[in-house]
Amino acid sequence: MNIKILTESLYITLSIIIISGSMKYVRRGYAWPYLALISSCVALSISVRPAGYFYIISIIILVLLYQPKIKLLSYEKVLALTVPVLLILFTSSIIYKSYHHKKLSLLPAHLFGRGLTLMQESDIVTLPPTLKDKAPVIIELNNKINALDGFNIRHLARTRTEVMYQHQINHKLNDEQRFKVGKELIRNHKMAYCKITALHFFHLWTGFEVFSINESNSFWEQSKNWKKPDFIDQYRWNDTLVKKRRTFPLSFLRWSLLVLLISVLIAPLLAFFQILKKTGKKNNYFLLAGFFSSCCIGHSIIISMIGIATLRYTLILTPFLIINLFCLIYPLVTKTNNYLSTDHSDKTNKENNNEL
């Protein structure tokens, strides 16, 4: 499937159906068929991109937002939540194995690349023989990258190096060895792993890949004299890491993406306050925003834990981000219009009474 078509188009299409199904679920009295539709699309999303696994938790959040008491859940809803996911994932696994005969995964390569970015001299003893001779060079390169001047520059170099480690070193090891090495290095440096995961999460929302002219020149001046490791080919070295970056005149606008991050972080709080309300009608828009934002946050966390920050992974969340903003803004606009309308009506009535 990945060879024939880009997964983004499938993932975004399924996201739109999930959004539509969730809105129908709320508007049609929480009917279980819409829940089954959402669950089916979530399972298909997982088949397309494993980052969709968090959507399972998001569906549970959606149900609990409107029915906090788990004991009151009907058996139809429980079946609608579980059966489509299990059935589709099982079928997808069978179809995949019928074509490939063996489960292939990028997880070992991703963990391996992340682990190498965290590696210290104390880890060399535990490495496989084929990696020990490369370890000092890798550690030296990591230190150079961590010493780069510039927040965005440093993270761009870090992400590009992590990708380089995935593709240029891992062919010397099998998947089992890569997975073991990556897991061991991460276990040895838990705090550093948490820090780099947090940085990846943050940079998913900063557009850090958009460089200004000054940043591009600064990175080139700092890295142009770096010596290429022997185990990295020249093309990969120049294309991935040491080169002048493409620049954009309005690069400062990249920080405007943080508005989306703020909206995604605010929505769950508003949804939580709606649940705590003892009196008055709960705002369905804020509750739905809580669901949509949980999809965005969960997806970004999974990407940050095992992958790199890149704007491409944020763009596939576009449907959720747009509808999340709408659900946050629309109630505020409506409330403001109602207030202004009421205020204008009161003034008109007062003027009429004065005339009488």
Side-chain angles (χ1 to χ4, degrees):
M1 182 181 291
N2 293 1
I3 297 173
K4 301 293 184 182
I5 187 171
L6 283 175
T7 57
E8 280 86 346
S9 57
L10 298 173
Y11 200 80
I12 290 174
T13 300
L14 290 168
S15 297
I16 293 171
I17 300 174
I18 290 172
I19 291 169
S20 176
S22 61
M23 297 182 79
K24 287 285 187 181
Y25 173 72
V26 173
R27 296 187 66 183
R28 300 294 172 86
Y30 321 124
W32 68 264
Y34 294 108
L35 207 54
L37 172 66
I38 300 170
S39 299
S40 300
C41 290
V42 165
L44 290 171
S45 298
I46 295 169
S47 300
V48 174
R49 298 177 79 99
Y53 268 110
F54 196 90
Y55 290 172
I56 296 176
I57 299 175
S58 296
I59 304 176
I60 298 172
I61 291 173
L62 174 66
V63 174
L64 295 181
L65 282 172
Y66 292 94
Q67 200 167 8
K69 296 182 179 179
I70 301 177
K71 293 181 180 179
L72 298 179
L73 285 178
S74 63
Y75 72 90
E76 290 96 341
K77 288 184 179 179
V78 174
L79 292 176
L81 278 170
T82 56
V83 172
V85 173
L86 295 175
L87 186 61
I88 292 174
L89 289 181
F90 178 72
T91 305
S92 174
S93 177
I94 292 176
I95 294 173
Y96 183 90
K97 287 179 180 178
S98 68
Y99 277 93
H100 301 283
H101 307 293
K102 182 183 177 182
K103 181 66 175 177
L104 301 175
S105 174
L106 292 174
L107 181 60
H110 282 272
L111 290 182
F112 181 76
R114 178 62 56 85
L116 292 188
T117 63
L118 306 173
M119 188 165 59
Q120 301 293 331
E121 290 183 7
S122 57
D123 300 310
I124 297 178
V125 182
T126 62
L127 296 176
T130 55
L131 197 57
K132 282 184 179 179
D133 60 327
K134 301 177 181 65
V137 182
I138 293 171
I139 293 170
E140 183 184 357
L141 180 58
N142 291 342
N143 291 335
K144 287 178 180 177
I145 289 169
N146 292 329
L148 283 171
D149 185 27
F151 186 54
N152 275 0
I153 293 173
R154 202 158 46 244
H155 196 72
L156 180 75
R158 189 181 291 122
T159 58
R160 296 302 178 263
T161 306
E162 188 171 324
V163 172
M164 196 164 60
Y165 290 159
Q166 294 171 11
H167 296 291
Q168 289 292 301
I169 302 174
N170 63 21
H171 65 283
K172 299 292 184 182
L173 305 168
N174 59 41
D175 279 354
E176 186 178 347
Q177 290 173 316
R178 281 178 279 180
F179 184 83
K180 183 179 179 181
V181 169
K183 187 174 71 171
E184 192 65 30
L185 289 171
I186 290 171
R187 184 184 297 164
N188 293 345
H189 306 285
K190 296 185 184 71
M191 289 303 298
Y193 170 74
C194 291
K195 180 182 177 181
I196 197 171
T197 297
L199 284 170
H200 279 298
F201 181 88
F202 175 75
H203 279 290
L204 279 169
W205 306 91
T206 62
F208 72 99
E209 294 162 299
V210 180
F211 261 34
S212 66
I213 295 175
N214 289 337
E215 285 174 324
S216 178
N217 292 335
S218 174
F219 177 62
W220 173 246
E221 289 298 324
Q222 294 182 74
S223 64
K224 65 181 180 181
N225 293 323
W226 288 359
K227 183 181 178 182
K228 182 186 76 66
D230 294 335
F231 51 85
I232 302 293
D233 66 60
Q234 191 66 48
Y235 172 79
R236 180 67 65 177
W237 178 255
N238 293 335
D239 183 66
T240 303
L241 189 60
V242 180
K243 69 171 186 178
K244 285 194 174 183
R245 316 307 304 189
R246 186 171 52 182
T247 61
F248 298 84
L250 301 177
S251 60
F252 63 90
L253 292 177
R254 66 190 173 204
W255 297 108
S256 62
L257 287 174
L258 287 175
V259 173
L260 297 176
L261 176 60
I262 293 169
S263 70
V264 162
L265 295 177
I266 286 176
L269 297 176
L270 293 175
F272 181 70
F273 286 132
Q274 293 299 311
I275 295 174
L276 293 180
K277 284 177 69 173
K278 299 294 184 182
T279 59
K281 187 178 179 181
K282 294 179 181 179
N283 192 308
N284 280 334
Y285 288 100
F286 288 160
L287 290 173
L288 276 172
F291 165 64
F292 298 138
S293 63
S294 71
C295 292
C296 296
I297 292 172
H299 178 275
S300 301
I301 288 174
I302 291 178
I303 291 294
S304 304
M305 288 175 67
I306 59 175
I308 63 167
T310 177
L311 197 55
R312 171 189 165 197
Y313 294 147
T314 308
L315 289 175
I316 64 175
L317 295 173
T318 299
F320 285 115
L321 294 172
I322 291 174
I323 196 67
N324 181 66
L325 281 173
F326 174 80
C327 288
L328 291 176
I329 294 172
Y330 181 75
L332 300 177
V333 172
T334 303
K335 190 172 183 179
T336 302
N337 288 339
N338 289 339
Y339 174 79
L340 294 175
S341 177
T342 303
D343 187 54
H344 177 72
S345 178
D346 291 342
K347 286 182 179 180
T348 303
N349 291 334
K350 188 174 181 181
E351 289 174 0
N352 291 337
N353 290 332
N354 289 337
E355 289 177 2
L356 291 174

